[in-house]
């Protein structure tokens, strides 16, 4: 049985297809829910309409659709939350599930650690929240959650979305350090999940190599922490964001990638990480296991 899972984040909406055997990403769309919410103190109606249009398009082709949302939707007051959920259901005929922060962490960690029994960290960064899980033998032993994401960092440092950043990595990390909740456990390996970290690594010009730490086709590459630290400096002030945006299919997605790079670096260094494994793994594996 085929099922479409639409995961609506604060900035990126991911559409995945599960065919009963494998998961395949079929679409990603940048919808600025968090950015516009910060500007208007409410969900932007054009953003809602864009999401509804996407869901309706998928309904024309697929019978089974599961739609869920994360941090920005958790932030809504009860009246606005109910109004949005009712409007979405009436408009699409599909229920919208708001995933709490703990379940978001659990669901993503299931996919990120499905083929590894070592003690690892799983970093889940989004537009409006950050979750970090410490996993061992397939189980979460510690979680730390932060109500801060890359769009909050971009509000403080808007130049990070320019061709070259004028703010340095150290300044951005100092801002992140004051807000980011970190786990007590230290790990050698940090898996980046919940977003397009693999896409970023392959297309940004940073260094990576084949993942020799464990075998998972969804996690094919890795880099050392030292390599990532050096390349993050380069990504801020030497790699042209405009050049990347001109050659990729999703230029809007790259807007907050410097903010994410700084947040990853801050978390990894404080957790004594030696290797970073970037992935595109979303919540779908956990959702399939726990919800569907």
């Amino acid at each position: 049985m085929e099922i479409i899972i639409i995961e609506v984040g604060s900035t990126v909406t991911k559409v995945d297809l599960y065919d009963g055997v494998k998961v395949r990403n079929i679409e990603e769309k940048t919808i600025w829910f968090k950015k516009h919410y910060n500007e208007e103190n409410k969900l932007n109606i054009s953003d809602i309409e864009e999401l509804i249009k996407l869901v309706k398009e998928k309904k024309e082709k697929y019978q089974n659709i599961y739609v869920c949302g994360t941090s920005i939707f958790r932030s809504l007051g009860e009246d606005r939350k109910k109004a949005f959920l009712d409007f979405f259901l009436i408009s699409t005929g599909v229920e919208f599930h708001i995933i709490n922060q703990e379940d978001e962490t659990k669901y993503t960690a299931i996919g990120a650690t499905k083929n590894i029994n070592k003690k690892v960290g799983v970093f889940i960064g989004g537009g409006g929240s950050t979750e970090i899980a410490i996993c061992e033998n397939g189980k979460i032993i510690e979680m730390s959650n932060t109500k801060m994401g890359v769009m909050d960092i971009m509000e403080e440092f808007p130049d990070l979305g320019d061709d070259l950043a004028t703010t340095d990595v150290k300044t951005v990390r100092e801002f992140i350090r004051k807000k980011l909740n970190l786990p007590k456990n230290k790990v050698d390996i940090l898996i980046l999940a919940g977003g397009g970290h693999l896409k970023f690594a392959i297309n940004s010009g940073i260094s990576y190599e084949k993942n020799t730490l464990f075998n998972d086709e969804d996690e094919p590459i890795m880099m050392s922490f030292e390599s990532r630290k050096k390349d993050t400096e380069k990504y801020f002030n030497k790699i042209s964001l405009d050049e990347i945006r001109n050659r990729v299919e999703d230029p809007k997605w790259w807007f907050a990638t410097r903010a994410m790079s700084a947040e990853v670096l801050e978390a990894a260094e404080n957790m004594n990480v030696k290797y970073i494994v970037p992935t595109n793994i979303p919540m779908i594996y956990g959702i399939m296991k726990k919800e569907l």
Side-chain angles (χ1 to χ4, degrees):
M1 177 187 74
E2 288 187 334
I3 184 166
I4 287 287
I5 296 181
I6 301 176
E7 183 182 323
V8 188
S10 296
T11 305
V12 179
T13 293
K14 297 180 281 287
V15 183
D16 293 302
L17 171 66
Y18 176 62
D19 62 8
V21 179
K22 296 185 69 174
V23 173
R24 178 167 58 92
N25 178 262
I26 60 173
E27 187 173 349
E28 283 191 3
K29 195 174 188 68
T30 299
I31 305 178
W32 301 104
F33 281 109
K34 172 73 173 180
K35 181 177 185 292
H36 293 152
Y37 184 89
N38 286 349
E39 295 169 352
E40 303 172 20
N41 197 32
K42 62 180 181 180
L43 291 180
N44 178 279
I45 187 63
S46 296
D47 293 339
I48 296 172
E49 290 173 347
E50 191 171 357
L51 175 61
I52 287 171
K53 179 183 177 183
L54 175 67
V55 174
K56 286 182 174 179
E57 288 174 353
K58 296 300 175 276
K59 278 192 70 178
E60 291 178 0
K61 187 174 181 180
Y62 301 97
Q63 290 185 330
N64 301 300
I65 297 179
Y66 180 92
V67 183
C68 60
T70 54
S71 62
I72 190 61
F73 303 98
R74 296 193 290 259
S75 302
L76 299 175
E78 290 305 314
D79 290 344
R80 285 183 174 178
K81 188 181 294 185
K82 184 178 186 305
F84 166 73
L85 294 175
D86 290 346
F87 180 70
F88 186 87
L89 180 59
I90 291 169
S91 301
T92 64
V94 177
E95 187 175 355
F96 189 102
H97 304 265
I98 297 178
I99 307 297
N100 66 47
Q101 197 166 29
E102 183 174 317
D103 283 344
E104 181 180 3
T105 308
K106 290 178 180 178
Y107 292 161
T108 311
I110 285 172
T113 62
K114 62 186 183 299
N115 287 318
I116 182 171
N117 290 321
K118 300 177 182 179
K119 182 179 176 183
V120 298
V122 179
F123 175 98
I124 306 157
S129 67
T130 302
E131 296 81 33
I132 302 174
I134 304 298
C135 304
E136 191 167 16
N137 298 320
K139 295 182 179 179
I140 295 175
I141 61 173
E142 185 184 0
M143 286 192 291
S144 63
N145 300 324
T146 308
K147 290 183 178 179
M148 175 198 68
V150 292
M151 295 311 296
D152 301 292
I153 301 169
M154 293 303 298
E155 276 202 348
E156 187 73 14
F157 307 105
D159 65 283
L160 299 187
D162 295 343
D163 182 35
L164 297 175
T166 53
T167 305
D168 60 23
V169 179
K170 180 182 177 182
T171 301
V172 179
R173 286 186 59 183
E174 287 172 352
F175 171 81
I176 294 168
R177 190 174 305 136
K178 296 174 183 177
K179 298 177 179 294
L180 185 61
N181 296 320
L182 291 164
K184 295 179 181 178
N185 277 271
K186 308 299 182 183
V187 292
D188 287 343
I189 302 168
L190 184 64
I191 300 171
L192 311 181
H197 299 282
L198 177 61
K199 176 172 68 173
F200 167 75
I202 291 172
N203 291 285
S204 64
I206 69 170
S207 303
Y208 61 87
E209 58 189 287
K210 181 180 178 182
N211 182 2
T212 57
L213 301 168
F214 56 93
N215 186 28
D216 189 322
E217 64 179 11
D218 291 324
E219 306 176 65
I221 68 171
M222 68 179 194
M223 67 275 300
S224 70
F225 169 78
E226 291 302 324
S227 169
R228 182 71 178 231
K229 186 175 183 179
K230 179 181 177 182
D231 283 345
T232 299
E233 296 278 354
K234 185 171 75 170
Y235 189 62
F236 264 57
N237 53 42
K238 292 184 179 179
I239 294 179
S240 166
L241 206 54
D242 287 348
E243 186 277 326
I244 294 172
R245 286 187 283 227
N246 286 334
R247 62 176 161 81
V248 296
E249 295 180 356
D250 50 356
K252 289 195 296 183
W253 181 87
W254 290 82
F255 173 72
T257 49
R258 288 193 178 111
M260 181 63 78
S261 296
E263 191 176 6
V264 166
L265 198 62
E266 181 63 23
E269 186 151 32
N270 280 281
M271 295 167 66
N272 295 344
V273 167
K274 296 178 181 177
Y275 300 101
I276 294 173
V277 179
T279 81
N280 292 335
I281 293 172
M283 291 192 293
I284 184 170
Y285 292 96
I287 290 171
M288 289 188 302
K289 187 172 183 179
K290 300 291 186 178
E291 299 282 347
L292 305 179

